Short mmCIF file of all heavy atoms in Angstrom, two decimals:
data_model
loop_
_atom_site.label_atom_id
_atom_site.label_comp_id
_atom_site.label_asym_id
_atom_site.label_seq_id
_atom_site.Cartn_x
_atom_site.Cartn_y
_atom_site.Cartn_z
N VAL A 332 289.52 95.73 -16.23
CA VAL A 332 288.29 94.90 -16.49
C VAL A 332 287.95 94.19 -15.16
O VAL A 332 286.81 94.15 -14.74
CB VAL A 332 288.45 93.94 -17.68
CG1 VAL A 332 287.28 92.96 -17.68
CG2 VAL A 332 288.48 94.67 -18.91
N ARG A 333 288.96 93.59 -14.61
CA ARG A 333 288.66 92.83 -13.38
C ARG A 333 288.11 93.73 -12.25
O ARG A 333 287.16 93.31 -11.65
CB ARG A 333 289.90 92.10 -12.92
CG ARG A 333 289.74 90.57 -12.88
CD ARG A 333 290.95 89.93 -12.27
NE ARG A 333 292.07 89.80 -13.25
CZ ARG A 333 293.25 89.58 -12.96
NH1 ARG A 333 293.61 89.30 -11.67
NH2 ARG A 333 294.26 89.41 -13.78
N ILE A 334 288.63 94.87 -12.19
CA ILE A 334 288.17 95.81 -11.19
C ILE A 334 286.73 96.22 -11.44
O ILE A 334 285.91 96.11 -10.56
CB ILE A 334 289.04 97.08 -11.03
CG1 ILE A 334 290.41 96.70 -10.44
CG2 ILE A 334 288.42 98.19 -10.23
CD1 ILE A 334 291.52 97.81 -10.63
N VAL A 335 286.51 96.53 -12.76
CA VAL A 335 285.12 96.84 -13.15
C VAL A 335 284.15 95.69 -12.85
O VAL A 335 283.13 95.93 -12.16
CB VAL A 335 285.04 97.26 -14.60
CG1 VAL A 335 283.64 97.34 -15.07
CG2 VAL A 335 285.78 98.56 -14.80
N ILE A 336 284.55 94.55 -13.21
CA ILE A 336 283.72 93.33 -12.90
C ILE A 336 283.46 93.25 -11.40
O ILE A 336 282.29 93.05 -10.96
CB ILE A 336 284.34 92.12 -13.47
CG1 ILE A 336 284.28 92.13 -15.07
CG2 ILE A 336 283.48 90.82 -12.95
CD1 ILE A 336 284.95 91.04 -15.66
N GLY A 337 284.56 93.36 -10.66
CA GLY A 337 284.48 93.26 -9.25
C GLY A 337 283.40 94.35 -8.71
O GLY A 337 282.54 94.03 -7.96
N CYS A 338 283.58 95.53 -9.28
CA CYS A 338 282.65 96.64 -8.75
C CYS A 338 281.24 96.26 -9.08
O CYS A 338 280.33 96.45 -8.26
CB CYS A 338 283.03 97.98 -9.45
SG CYS A 338 284.46 98.64 -8.67
N VAL A 339 281.02 95.70 -10.28
CA VAL A 339 279.63 95.39 -10.64
C VAL A 339 279.03 94.42 -9.67
O VAL A 339 278.01 94.49 -9.14
CB VAL A 339 279.64 94.75 -12.08
CG1 VAL A 339 278.30 94.05 -12.39
CG2 VAL A 339 279.87 95.85 -13.08
N PHE A 340 279.91 93.41 -9.30
CA PHE A 340 279.52 92.35 -8.30
C PHE A 340 279.09 93.04 -7.01
O PHE A 340 278.11 92.78 -6.46
CB PHE A 340 280.62 91.36 -8.04
CG PHE A 340 280.43 90.24 -8.91
CD1 PHE A 340 281.43 89.88 -9.92
CD2 PHE A 340 279.34 89.39 -8.82
CE1 PHE A 340 281.31 88.75 -10.73
CE2 PHE A 340 279.23 88.23 -9.74
CZ PHE A 340 280.21 87.94 -10.66
N ILE A 341 280.03 94.01 -6.59
CA ILE A 341 279.76 94.59 -5.26
C ILE A 341 278.48 95.37 -5.41
O ILE A 341 277.58 95.29 -4.53
CB ILE A 341 280.91 95.54 -4.86
CG1 ILE A 341 282.13 94.65 -4.48
CG2 ILE A 341 280.59 96.42 -3.69
CD1 ILE A 341 283.42 95.34 -4.42
N VAL A 342 278.37 96.16 -6.48
CA VAL A 342 277.17 96.98 -6.66
C VAL A 342 275.87 96.10 -6.74
O VAL A 342 274.84 96.43 -6.05
CB VAL A 342 277.28 97.77 -7.98
CG1 VAL A 342 275.97 98.47 -8.28
CG2 VAL A 342 278.36 98.88 -7.78
N ALA A 343 276.04 95.04 -7.41
CA ALA A 343 274.90 94.07 -7.51
C ALA A 343 274.49 93.58 -6.11
O ALA A 343 273.38 93.62 -5.78
CB ALA A 343 275.23 92.91 -8.36
N ALA A 344 275.54 93.27 -5.37
CA ALA A 344 275.27 92.67 -4.05
C ALA A 344 274.58 93.86 -3.22
O ALA A 344 273.68 93.66 -2.55
CB ALA A 344 276.53 92.20 -3.39
N CYS A 345 275.16 95.06 -3.36
CA CYS A 345 274.67 96.16 -2.57
C CYS A 345 273.18 96.45 -2.92
O CYS A 345 272.32 96.61 -2.09
CB CYS A 345 275.48 97.50 -2.79
SG CYS A 345 277.06 97.35 -2.16
N GLY A 346 272.89 96.47 -4.36
CA GLY A 346 271.62 96.77 -4.70
C GLY A 346 270.59 95.73 -4.18
O GLY A 346 269.44 96.07 -3.88
N ARG A 347 271.09 94.59 -3.94
CA ARG A 347 270.20 93.54 -3.42
C ARG A 347 269.87 93.70 -1.95
O ARG A 347 268.74 93.60 -1.54
CB ARG A 347 270.96 92.12 -3.72
CG ARG A 347 269.97 91.04 -3.62
CD ARG A 347 269.13 90.96 -4.83
NE ARG A 347 268.04 90.06 -4.56
CZ ARG A 347 266.98 89.75 -5.32
NH1 ARG A 347 266.88 90.42 -6.43
NH2 ARG A 347 266.11 88.97 -4.90
N SER A 348 270.97 93.86 -1.11
CA SER A 348 270.67 93.78 0.33
C SER A 348 271.41 94.84 1.09
O SER A 348 271.81 94.60 2.16
CB SER A 348 271.03 92.38 0.82
OG SER A 348 272.34 92.18 0.52
N GLY A 349 271.59 95.99 0.50
CA GLY A 349 272.30 97.03 1.13
C GLY A 349 273.73 96.75 1.25
O GLY A 349 274.24 96.12 0.43
N ALA A 350 274.50 97.24 2.34
CA ALA A 350 275.94 96.92 2.41
C ALA A 350 276.09 95.43 2.89
O ALA A 350 275.11 94.71 2.90
CB ALA A 350 276.56 97.86 3.48
N THR A 351 277.19 95.08 3.18
CA THR A 351 277.50 93.61 3.47
C THR A 351 277.35 93.37 4.89
O THR A 351 277.80 92.36 5.48
CB THR A 351 278.88 93.34 3.05
OG1 THR A 351 279.77 94.30 3.55
CG2 THR A 351 279.01 93.30 1.53
N GLY A 352 276.74 94.26 5.73
CA GLY A 352 276.73 94.07 7.19
C GLY A 352 275.82 93.00 7.73
O GLY A 352 276.07 92.56 8.76
N GLY A 353 274.88 92.63 6.98
CA GLY A 353 273.96 91.53 7.47
C GLY A 353 272.93 92.04 8.52
O GLY A 353 272.91 93.12 8.93
N THR A 354 272.07 91.01 8.87
CA THR A 354 270.98 91.31 9.76
C THR A 354 271.16 90.45 11.10
O THR A 354 271.39 89.26 10.99
CB THR A 354 269.67 90.92 9.16
OG1 THR A 354 269.47 91.69 7.90
CG2 THR A 354 268.51 91.23 10.12
N LEU A 355 271.16 91.15 12.17
CA LEU A 355 271.26 90.58 13.44
C LEU A 355 269.84 90.29 13.99
O LEU A 355 269.05 91.23 14.03
CB LEU A 355 272.08 91.45 14.40
CG LEU A 355 272.39 90.82 15.77
CD1 LEU A 355 273.63 89.99 15.71
CD2 LEU A 355 272.65 91.96 16.80
N ILE A 356 269.62 89.09 14.42
CA ILE A 356 268.21 88.83 14.97
C ILE A 356 268.40 88.56 16.46
O ILE A 356 269.11 87.74 16.97
CB ILE A 356 267.62 87.55 14.36
CG1 ILE A 356 267.77 87.62 12.87
CG2 ILE A 356 266.13 87.43 14.77
CD1 ILE A 356 266.78 88.34 12.09
N VAL A 357 267.67 89.33 17.31
CA VAL A 357 267.70 89.31 18.67
C VAL A 357 266.37 88.69 19.08
O VAL A 357 265.26 89.13 18.67
CB VAL A 357 267.86 90.75 19.24
CG1 VAL A 357 267.88 90.61 20.84
CG2 VAL A 357 269.08 91.35 18.76
N GLY A 358 266.44 87.63 20.03
CA GLY A 358 265.19 87.12 20.55
C GLY A 358 264.76 87.85 21.75
O GLY A 358 265.55 87.98 22.68
N ALA A 359 263.56 88.46 21.73
CA ALA A 359 263.09 89.18 22.87
C ALA A 359 261.92 88.45 23.66
O ALA A 359 261.10 87.93 23.02
CB ALA A 359 262.48 90.55 22.34
N PRO A 360 262.15 88.27 24.87
CA PRO A 360 261.24 87.43 25.64
C PRO A 360 259.85 88.16 25.96
O PRO A 360 258.89 87.54 26.31
CB PRO A 360 261.90 87.12 27.01
CG PRO A 360 262.96 88.25 27.10
CD PRO A 360 263.28 88.69 25.77
N THR A 361 259.90 89.50 25.85
CA THR A 361 258.68 90.18 26.08
C THR A 361 258.28 91.05 24.95
O THR A 361 259.20 91.46 24.08
CB THR A 361 258.77 91.22 27.34
OG1 THR A 361 259.95 92.05 27.10
CG2 THR A 361 258.93 90.36 28.59
N ASP A 362 257.05 91.44 24.74
CA ASP A 362 256.64 92.31 23.68
C ASP A 362 256.69 93.72 24.21
O ASP A 362 255.82 94.08 25.04
CB ASP A 362 255.23 91.89 23.30
CG ASP A 362 254.66 92.76 22.28
OD1 ASP A 362 255.42 93.44 21.61
OD2 ASP A 362 253.45 92.63 21.99
N PRO A 363 257.72 94.49 23.90
CA PRO A 363 257.82 95.86 24.39
C PRO A 363 256.60 96.71 23.86
O PRO A 363 256.53 96.91 22.69
CB PRO A 363 259.14 96.40 23.94
CG PRO A 363 259.50 95.54 22.88
CD PRO A 363 258.72 94.24 22.84
N LYS A 364 255.79 97.17 24.76
CA LYS A 364 254.63 97.93 24.33
C LYS A 364 255.09 99.47 24.05
O LYS A 364 254.43 100.15 23.33
CB LYS A 364 253.55 97.96 25.39
CG LYS A 364 253.17 96.57 25.73
CD LYS A 364 252.28 95.93 24.65
CE LYS A 364 251.71 94.54 25.14
NZ LYS A 364 251.21 93.80 24.03
N LYS A 365 256.10 99.83 24.71
CA LYS A 365 256.50 101.16 24.65
C LYS A 365 258.09 101.30 24.41
O LYS A 365 258.86 100.69 25.04
CB LYS A 365 256.27 101.90 26.03
CG LYS A 365 254.71 102.02 26.31
CD LYS A 365 254.57 102.44 27.64
CE LYS A 365 253.08 102.27 28.12
NZ LYS A 365 252.93 102.21 29.50
N LEU A 366 258.33 102.14 23.33
CA LEU A 366 259.74 102.24 22.99
C LEU A 366 260.17 103.70 23.16
O LEU A 366 261.30 104.14 23.18
CB LEU A 366 259.95 101.80 21.58
CG LEU A 366 259.66 100.42 21.25
CD1 LEU A 366 259.86 100.14 19.71
CD2 LEU A 366 260.52 99.44 22.08
N PHE A 367 259.25 104.61 23.35
CA PHE A 367 259.43 106.03 23.50
C PHE A 367 260.23 106.31 24.76
O PHE A 367 259.83 105.75 25.81
CB PHE A 367 258.06 106.74 23.53
CG PHE A 367 258.15 108.31 23.43
CD1 PHE A 367 258.96 108.81 22.38
CD2 PHE A 367 257.52 109.07 24.29
CE1 PHE A 367 259.00 110.22 22.26
CE2 PHE A 367 257.64 110.45 24.15
CZ PHE A 367 258.34 111.02 23.17
#
Side-chain angles (χ1 to χ4, degrees):
Chain A
V332 167
R333 241 185 281 165
I334 289 170
V335 167
I336 290 173
C338 285
V339 167
F340 267 117
I341 291 167
V342 168
C345 294
R347 195 75 196 173
S348 60
T351 51
T354 301
L355 184 85
I356 315 278
V357 182
T361 52
D362 180 9
K364 305 287 188 194
K365 295 167 191 158
L366 303 177
F367 190 50

